[in-house]
């Protein structure tokens, strides 16, 4: 783990991830994986009046992936779906601090997992 600053947000979110776990009866689930590294992320959403009321995640992956999903959940909780969709992997990286470029894809995976969950929610709502 020598490539990360021990006092960075990244290490803090990796060692103390926020909003870990599953939600009972989620309104939507997002699931993505990276075929190159094999890491998998799942995001669970509770949505009320277009607002993300609760969010939890399970990340089976590297430190940067766990920290990225943790930061993402804090960023989007309480936001509208449209606001949440605007949060990019770049924003996650700004918060996490410096990381080697070959870890950028870990932050992209978090963005994709959220998008997948929101798309899943929107498809379900269209059917109702
Ligand atoms: Fe796969 Fe980080 S190495 S998400």
């Amino acid at each position: 783990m020598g490539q990360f600053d021990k006092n960075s947000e990244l290490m803090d979110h990796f060692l103390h991830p926020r909003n870990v776990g599953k939600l009972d009866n989620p309104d939507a689930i997002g699931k993505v994986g990276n075929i190159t590294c094999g890491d998998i992320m799942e995001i669970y959403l509770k949505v009320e009046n277009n607002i993300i009321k609760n969010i939890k995640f399970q990340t089976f992956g590297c430190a940067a992936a766990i920290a990225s999903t943790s930061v993402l959940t804090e960023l989007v909780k309480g936001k509208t779906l449209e606001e949440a969709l605007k949060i990019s992997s770049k924003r996650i990286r700004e918060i996490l601090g410096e990381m080697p470029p070959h870890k950028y894809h870990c932050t992209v995976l978090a963005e994709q997992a959220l998008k997948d969950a929101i798309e899943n929610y929107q498809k379900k709502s269209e059917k109702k």
Side-chain angles (χ1 to χ4, degrees):
M1 193 80 78
Q3 69 225 62
F4 299 128
D5 172 1
K6 272 202 291 241
N7 300 315
S8 66
E9 284 289 314
L10 192 150
M11 284 308 285
D12 183 41
H13 277 270
F14 168 56
L15 295 173
H16 313 285
R18 314 341 178 228
N19 304 306
V20 173
K22 285 185 172 187
L23 287 175
D24 291 333
N25 303 315
D27 294 313
I29 301 175
K31 186 169 177 179
V32 290
N34 180 302
I35 35 171
T36 311
C37 64
D39 292 349
I40 293 171
M41 267 178 205
E42 291 172 3
I43 284 190
Y44 300 82
L45 292 182
K46 277 274 182 201
V47 180
E48 262 175 56
N49 299 326
N50 204 44
I51 289 174
I52 298 178
K53 284 285 177 190
N54 205 356
I55 177 165
K56 292 232 182 232
F57 79 93
Q58 290 193 309
T59 290
F60 309 95
C62 72
I66 291 168
S68 296
T69 339
S70 171
V71 162
L72 178 83
T73 59
E74 287 202 319
L75 284 172
V76 303
K77 210 177 205 179
K79 295 251 184 342
T80 65
L81 296 177
E82 291 73 21
E83 286 167 339
L85 281 172
K86 283 187 199 145
I87 289 169
S88 65
S89 53
K90 186 164 171 269
R91 179 76 193 111
I92 296 172
R93 287 200 293 278
E94 281 166 6
I95 294 172
L96 289 180
E98 268 186 57
M99 67 175 70
H102 74 270
K103 300 304 280 180
Y104 287 2
H105 79 272
C106 317
T107 63
V108 173
L109 205 58
E111 182 190 319
Q112 288 171 339
L114 178 72
K115 287 201 165 123
D116 191 61
I118 293 177
E119 272 170 27
N120 177 298
Y121 176 78
Q122 288 169 335
K123 273 188 207 145
K124 274 192 187 169
S125 326
E126 278 166 20
K127 278 188 200 151
K128 277 184 196 163

